[in-house]
Amino acid sequence: MAVDFTKLRPQARARLPKQYERVELMREAPTRDGRPVPAGSRGTVVEVMGDHEAFMVEFQEPFSALVTLRPGSLRYVAE
């Protein structure tokens, strides 16, 4: 049986954020001292680590925090 590749949809890859871009937390993430930053919180990428393997994100709300996150934990937000 032949596969008709024209009918297959390429999987959409989420856009990875760049430094100083805004992101939204997809799920709760703990800070170093264990305080939870809730899902839906928005922050700014202050550092991209490696080849987008991790991101250091600064949050101002609900409290000021710096959290290191993997790509699956956040999404780019066009504001």
Side-chain angles (χ1 to χ4, degrees), residues 3-76:
V3 176
D4 184 357
F5 290 102
T6 62
K7 293 186 180 183
L8 296 177
R9 290 188 206 189
Q11 267 196 326
R13 184 174 178 198
R15 180 189 180 289
L16 294 173
K18 298 174 186 168
Q19 191 172 20
Y20 305 122
E21 289 187 326
R22 300 282 290 164
V23 293
E24 182 176 75
L25 209 59
M26 301 300 290
R27 54 182 153 282
E28 184 178 277
T31 62
R32 278 191 178 169
D33 62 0
R35 293 174 69 184
V37 180
S41 297
R42 291 188 175 191
T44 303
V45 174
V46 293
E47 184 177 349
V48 177
M49 298 174 194
D51 187 23
H52 292 90
E53 288 132 17
F55 302 88
M56 185 170 294
V57 179
E58 179 180 34
F59 294 94
Q60 295 299 316
E61 298 290 332
F63 52 86
S64 183
L66 260 156
V67 182
T68 302
L69 301 163
R70 297 279 181 197
S73 302
L74 50 85
R75 71 178 182 90
Y76 166 74

